[in-house]
Amino acid sequence: MTDLAGLGDALRKAVRGEVGFDATARALVTMDASNYRRVPLGVVAPRDADDVAAVLEVCRARGVPVVARGGGTSIAGQATGTGVVLDFTRHMTGLLELDPGSRTAVVQPGLVLDRLQEAAAPHGLRFGPDPSTHSRCTLGGMIGNNACGSHSVAWGTTADSVRELSVTTARGRRLRLGPGWAGAPDGLRELAEAELARLRTGFPELPRRISGYALDALLPEKGADVARSFCGSEGTLGILTEAVVRLVENPRARALAVLAYADEGAAAEAAAGLLPLRPLTVEGMAADLVPAGAGLPGGGAWLFVETGGETAAEARARAGKIVRAADAVGALVVTDAAAQRALWRIREDASGTATRMPDGTEAWPGWEDCAVPPARLGGYLRDFRALLAAHGLRGTPYGHFGDGCVHVRIDFDLLTATGVGRFRRFSEELADLVVSHGGSLSGEHGDGQARAELLPRMYGEETVALFERAKAVWDPDDLLNPGMLVRPARLDENLRFSVLPRRPVDVAFGYPADGGDFGAAVRRCVGVAKCRTATAAGPAVMCPSFRATGEEEHSTRGRARLLHEMLAGEVVTDGWRSTEVLDSLDLCLSCKGCRSDCPVGVDMATYKAEFLHHHYAGRRRPAAHHSMGRLPQWLRWAARTRSAPLFNALASVRPLARVVKRLGGITPEREIPRLARETFSGWWRRRRPARGAGELVTVWPDTFTEHLAPSVGRAAVRVLEAAGLRVALPPTLVRRGGAIGDGRSRSATALLRGRRGRVCCGLTYVSTGQLDRARAVLRRTLDLMEPVLRAGVPVVVLEPSCAAALRSDLPELLPDDPRAARLSSAVLTFAETLERHAPHWSPPTVDRPVTGQTHCHQHAVLGDGADRRLRESAGLTGELSGGCCGLAGNFGFERGHFEVSRACAEEQLLPAVREAPEGTLVLADGFSCRTQLEHLAGARGRHLAEVLAEALDQRAGGAEGTGEAK
């Protein structure tokens, strides 16, 4: 039995990189993007090749296996192991050299593909293969799996792009692999030359043959290329420490021909016929994976066929030629770069979206990337569909139709013995079907544990025995990733679902999309790791804490893995009391970006609130949960006692403010926000009601607008009334807002009599995990809002985070109360209200450029289409940044969060404001965003309602406003 303490100590003495044998480090790498789970002894993040050699020496002396891991996006289980995992994504991430003249680059194994593409782009070059995980997969992982991507019809597989590889064997030899037997370990040449006939006849010729070892690359007529033969070996032969890769010329212009077909079978049969026209891609997608409103020509499946050229006209002409040659039922040529990116995002997200069937049923990898000769793809898909039906299974094929490679997630039941048995029988029959069509069990992601057991069906026993002999030449002690490719584990062993509890755990949220099962919600994370991107592309938000720290435990995937292990109880053993999970969730900003940006809709903000609810049940909570979690209570008390001036005066005294912040768990770098002298509802009560016959709407007096930014509420009322709407505040709908006008006012008035209290969305209670209190507050709110709900009056919520809480958290916390769903559906943003209920009103013309940020909750839950259209109508030009401001309600105020909060703001928001030209308006609808701008940039952000109200006043002769970018 391995001495874990001794092994860890020995590794710490031997390497300069980090060594982690704690529960968190191990839990984060128990899984990749496959169905499998293996618990490692520990994790090492090597700094260089010397560290790799040292790890191998220590582990060899103790007989401990070693597994190399890159981005952890492997779909066959080969990035998991029971020994020591080498994590190359922390330090060995360098682009060591890029030579445009020779079109080569020297890279380390942990370099993310997109970083290489970004460096090559200014030279008109790129790395050819581009898996859909290009924003987080590493070059080492691509070489290990011989990854391909959508452009393989033009530029081949990773093996086609490799020139030389630096490798360390399990016994410590450092080899430089290349053609002409360069770097071959002792015995490899003799093995190959004794088996020339088998190497020439035993390996199917097709563009996507990834299964097994590529021993045929050692044939003399293929240059005896040891580096090429090493590609696709899944870390079982040696550990890659450096690679020289080839680059290809990147077309200056591209066009995308979208060809529509009746179904994926027709699309598959058409794909091979387009290859003579030399397209860059021939990708297939079925309707089940395409969101409504994608703007594609009518059909049941589509081919995405990309063309390139020196000019846009040349690329478009080639696309037009493909359209004319294709026997499609509809076609569209897309030349706009942004529109092309939007369509490609649909294709790239399919590895996640395909994990849910249209009815919400879970679907899983396992037979993700079989490949057949392209000309036989149509027939194969028909037989594949028949096999699915025979086993009562469903799946939606998509993928690289031009190369005959099909991705599919299938609704296997991997939770019961019966379902796992069906999974095995289907796998065996599908392997035979693939072979009958002349195909490869793997066409991109490798065999791993998912398919290696079935390799004898593809290659025969004698060729598989040859694989074992090759493995023994490279790794005679079987230390490198054992159980993969040769002498594999069974395909139905080590399933990651087997350790989860069979009964749903008791939870506070309803999890309606997961059948009320928290375990099913956690299972949503399949590991595609879109949350591990280094930058938030476009308007994306997920995952700001990972981008700030670069640590897996601060990614959405990392947190989901820890929650999975918490439920499993083997590595993380304290259940809801786990400090490992608590520490990981501590830097979750609850931005909800994952809810929309994650392809499978993981909602870590909800999971965090759930965990905190259980973690602190019956225990002392942090001071911040009392000071900021109960903020609505404190602010209502201040308003009732009219103590706002006193509070502001005391907060301006630095020694007193320091004491308050220390007692309240507030970070010392923050200024305490000033309370308004008059609340929004106080102003409302003393104003003269506006008269009008327009539609009635009620403005929600959220905590922030009510007590901290009443100017936003006043501005919104000004604009809504200018648009012809009648405005009321709950619960004074009828008494202050005027009669409803359809005979329902009397009943509403009667219901309102005697009611006291303030409505509240419960946001601060939810974000701090005080869910019992949140439910009580929300029930009281529903009682107060009954007249509004019965009258069917729209509810205008000005603070995006509060609107998101009412839209999503309310119905999920009170799923059995029908009023919750009614209030959720009644909630509108400011812009949505004007668009839906004052459609003929035109806003005042502002004619100013804008900068700022779309609120992360608006991005994730509410959508900003109406806001964009309203800004355009008002002449407000420019795009708002994506990402998260970093303050995120209580997060940025809590002690210990300031640096991460600032790093998040520095990603997009603050640079956008600093770089804005003079006279640019800074828009930020969220109170947190405006506070962050004030604290870190000295800029005054404005709610869109304030900008429009100011323009109305100017049109009426009012004063000129401020709020410009600094």
Side-chain angles (χ1 to χ4, degrees), residues 499-628:
V499 296
L500 294 178
R502 286 292 169 261
R503 294 182 178 180
V505 297
D506 290 333
V507 287
F509 282 96
Y511 302 101
D514 298 293
D517 185 354
F518 183 70
V522 171
R523 288 199 304 269
R524 279 183 174 270
C525 180
V526 293
V528 296
K530 191 179 178 183
C531 50
R532 277 182 55 92
T533 55
T535 58
V541 174
M542 177 185 69
C543 177
S545 52
F546 171 77
R547 292 193 298 276
T549 69
E551 297 290 341
E552 172 79 8
E553 68 180 292
H554 299 142
S555 70
T556 303
R557 181 180 73 173
R559 292 173 178 126
R561 291 292 178 259
L562 284 165
L563 287 167
H564 188 285
E565 294 302 328
M566 180 194 81
L567 293 175
E570 178 183 353
V571 180
V572 177
T573 58
D574 294 335
W576 294 113
R577 302 299 198 197
S578 166
T579 56
E580 295 89 357
V581 178
L582 178 67
D583 290 343
S584 174
L585 290 171
D586 180 58
L587 290 187
C588 172
L589 286 84
S590 297
C591 67
K592 289 188 176 286
C594 48
R595 184 182 175 107
S596 61
D597 297 345
C598 172
V600 290
V602 169
D603 186 356
M604 194 54 62
T606 296
Y607 306 170
K608 176 181 180 179
E610 186 76 62
F611 176 82
L612 293 176
H613 169 71
H614 295 279
H615 184 81
Y616 287 111
R619 306 172 81 186
R620 182 179 178 182
R621 284 180 169 271
H625 286 199
H626 298 289
S627 63
M628 289 175 281

Side-chain angles (χ1 to χ4, degrees), residues 357-433:
M357 304 300 292
D359 63 359
T361 304
E362 294 170 298
W364 304 107
W367 287 95
E368 178 70 14
D369 63 324
C370 300
V372 299
R376 302 187 66 170
L377 181 60
Y380 165 72
L381 281 178
R382 282 192 294 273
D383 291 344
F384 172 75
R385 284 287 192 185
L387 185 63
L388 282 175
H391 284 271
L393 297 171
R394 296 174 298 164
T396 302
Y398 67 98
H400 315 292
F401 282 16
D403 272 336
C405 180
V406 174
H407 295 313
V408 64
R409 300 293 173 103
I410 301 172
D411 64 339
F412 298 119
D413 167 17
L414 299 178
L415 301 176
T416 68
T418 300
V420 172
R422 179 184 298 179
F423 168 61
R424 164 167 282 281
R425 292 190 299 275
F426 175 84
S427 299
E428 293 169 342
E429 292 181 32
L430 181 55
D432 292 338
L433 176 61

Side-chain angles (χ1 to χ4, degrees), residues 630 633 636 765 770-778 780:
R630 300 197 171 198
Q633 291 177 266
R636 283 199 299 272
Y765 304 105
Q770 301 180 69
L771 300 185
D772 289 335
R773 179 63 180 165
R775 280 190 292 231
V777 166
L778 289 170
R780 185 191 69 202

